[in-house]
Amino acid sequence: MMRIVCFFIALLAVSSCTEQRPVDSDKSGESAISFPLAQQSLALYLGLDTIPTLERKPIIEKALAQPDAALAHSPYGAYLKSLLFYNSPQQDSVMFYFDQSLAVYEDLDMTWQRLITYTQLNQEIKHHRVASLAVMEQLYQQLEEVHKHSTILDYQLYDILAKAYFLNRDIDQSIKYTELYFAHHPFRDNRVIQSRFYDISFLLAAEVQDRDKAFYALTQLKNLLKGSGDEIAKTRYFDMEARYFAMIGSYEEALNSSKRYFHYSQKTNQLHPMVYNNLATSFERNQQYDDAIHYYKEGIALAQQMKIREQNHLYGGLSQVYKRKGDYQQALVALDSSFAHATRMKEKMNADKLHELEIQYQTKQKDIEITTLKENFLLQQKNFQQQRWISLFAVIFVVAVLLYGLILYRQRLLSEKNRRLEMQNKKMELEQRMLQLQLNPHFIYNAIANLQGFINQENKTKANRYLVALSKLMRHILELNRRDFVSLAEDIDAVENYLRVQQMRYNHSFDYQINTHGVDLDELLIPPMLLQPFIENAIEHGFKNIDYRGVLTLTLEEKEQQLYLYIRDNGRGFQDEPSTAQKQSLSQIITQERLEVLFLAKKQRAFFHLHSLNDTSSGSGVEVVLCIPILYS
């Protein structure tokens, strides 16, 4: 259905872009050239451009087989017949039918004249390595004609200009005219036309190694080919995909794409020596030299079977693989074969070829001969150097053994260093536990003194209650001290047990408050018994010999990923009593050492400091600020 739509669109476009000419007679007396037939033929030709290459032949044959035979016997039919052989080796058949259209060139309307002219220009650069000055002058002349009066076929001129500039290695100009070709194509919204445009865009981007543009064109092609039945387009896509992966250095992916390219070429009966060459090159990049050699040889055999003259790139690739394998003798044979083949090509050159082409070819052959002689000389030198390489490999082996021994020695040193670090870590853990245990005798001493006071007062009931509460507290403390860290909830419970014991001792002469400010007590961790020494100092020394009710406040806050603990009392503050100062400094020294082992050695922030308070109602008071990192269970 889409093809029929394209046909009618082309017919309407031709009707609007071609000028009306009267029916004229051929000078040789043949049947008159019909203008409606020219329109229909041109529409058919334009519609073919939107159809995959493999599907064009039956459409042309069907059009030529119409019962009235008007198209088949017209110059337009002759031109369409030439297209049947355009991409085949039968180029003589192409020229045979094309010459029939060319013979009535003057009697054709302007659109068909341009089609014939563009076809001639395209044929002149098709098999050349460069676009000659004469061809470029003809293209410029045609470009001026287009500026004066345009036709629906002028997109072909931009396509030929893009090819010519590409042959002359002016890639920027080639890109410019490729974009003009696509912009002026009557069916630029067609999938086949878009696929062809991005196909060319990729090749041009690859020439200048523009990875971004190449990737964009390849992505567009992949999207266009989804659901497409154009096997030839898919074949070209995998060839370009292989080239892109090779461009970015993904040689394994390039090999996979080259294999798909080879498979589709074989499936569509489009195998060509270049297909073998590309697959062999991909194997070579992946250092699979035996496979590369196989496909280079298969490509050479196919080229000889197809009588393709240009085989030097296959022989050159084969020679390069042999060199990489170190088989210089076979590399030399491949180069000799290349030279012999080039000689046979030279002998088979047709004497009627253009003088310019002959000069270019002879120049190339001279370059090949010089390159071959240089390669032969280099290969001979390498044969003499093989003995040196053997000695060098022996030296490399000895060096490798020494390096291996050095690596083993360094690994042994690292293992020993790691063992020392593990021992050091264990030592630090033991030191932390020792510091933690130093608090237990300090607290037990004061607790026994308190119990002794109750016994001396002969208050058995109170002493018994105190002893029971003290035993629970001691059991709690012993359980906590078995771990490096406990939950904040557990440590707060131990502190409250201690405060209740001390309240019993001092006849509830002081009160306490614990403010958590929303801190998650169950999730946060803290070293056990870290708060107890400061609380003990507040009770034993801060509330000693005061004539008012003491108040002790414990406040918890989270700030800047740190846990702050504030212990405040309204006691008598710092006093210049040597015994008091000595006891306080002992607890502070123990706490400081614990912080160093637990946190500071790991470069974590932890500190505490004490300062006097002057805003209490009675006495000066002391506040302890303790800061440790936030740790989660």
Side-chain angles (χ1 to χ4, degrees), residues 306-476:
M306 296 175 66
K307 298 181 180 180
I308 295 177
R309 295 175 177 176
E310 187 59 48
Q311 300 177 21
N312 292 326
H313 57 281
L314 290 165
Y315 282 112
L318 181 62
S319 175
Q320 185 68 22
V321 174
Y322 277 126
K323 283 196 293 183
R324 291 193 174 185
K325 284 189 68 176
D327 192 345
Y328 300 115
Q329 184 175 358
Q330 289 296 329
L332 183 59
V333 170
L335 283 177
D336 288 337
S337 299
S338 175
F339 182 73
H341 172 73
T343 303
R344 288 194 299 272
M345 284 177 60
K346 182 178 178 180
E347 292 174 351
K348 292 178 181 179
M349 283 291 293
N350 194 318
D352 297 330
K353 287 291 183 179
L354 295 174
H355 183 63
E356 179 185 0
L357 182 61
E358 181 68 23
I359 294 175
Q360 290 177 354
Y361 185 78
Q362 289 178 356
T363 303
K364 180 175 177 59
Q365 293 308 113
K366 291 295 182 182
D367 291 338
I368 292 175
E369 291 176 5
I370 294 172
T371 303
T372 303
L373 292 174
K374 289 181 179 178
E375 292 290 340
N376 288 338
F377 177 73
L378 291 174
L379 287 174
Q380 289 175 359
Q381 281 188 326
K382 292 194 178 206
N383 286 331
F384 289 115
Q385 292 175 356
Q386 282 185 346
Q387 294 298 326
R388 296 181 183 178
W389 280 111
I390 294 173
S391 302
L392 180 59
F393 287 147
V395 172
I396 292 174
F397 176 76
V398 173
V399 172
V401 171
L402 293 176
L403 287 175
Y404 179 72
L406 180 61
I407 291 171
L408 290 179
Y409 176 72
R410 292 191 63 183
Q411 288 180 343
R412 188 176 302 172
L413 290 179
L414 289 174
S415 299
E416 182 66 22
K417 185 177 180 180
N418 291 334
R419 189 180 65 82
R420 288 199 301 269
L421 289 174
E422 289 177 0
M423 292 180 63
Q424 186 175 359
N425 289 334
K426 290 181 180 179
K427 180 181 177 182
M428 291 176 65
E429 291 178 2
L430 292 174
E431 288 177 354
Q432 192 275 333
R433 291 184 180 274
M434 290 176 63
L435 292 172
Q436 184 174 319
L437 293 174
Q438 287 178 21
L439 295 177
N440 296 334
H442 184 68
F443 169 72
I444 293 171
Y445 174 80
N446 290 326
I448 293 175
N450 295 338
L451 181 61
Q452 186 178 9
F454 286 122
I455 294 174
N456 291 337
Q457 295 173 8
E458 297 183 358
N459 191 339
K460 295 181 180 180
T461 302
K462 195 171 184 178
N464 187 48
R465 288 170 55 196
Y466 182 81
L467 183 59
V468 171
L470 181 61
S471 64
K472 291 182 180 179
L473 177 62
M474 294 301 297
R475 179 172 183 144
H476 198 178

Side-chain angles (χ1 to χ4, degrees), residues 74-85:
S74 69
Y76 316 113
Y79 179 85
L80 292 173
K81 287 179 184 177
S82 72
L83 298 180
L84 296 173
F85 309 95

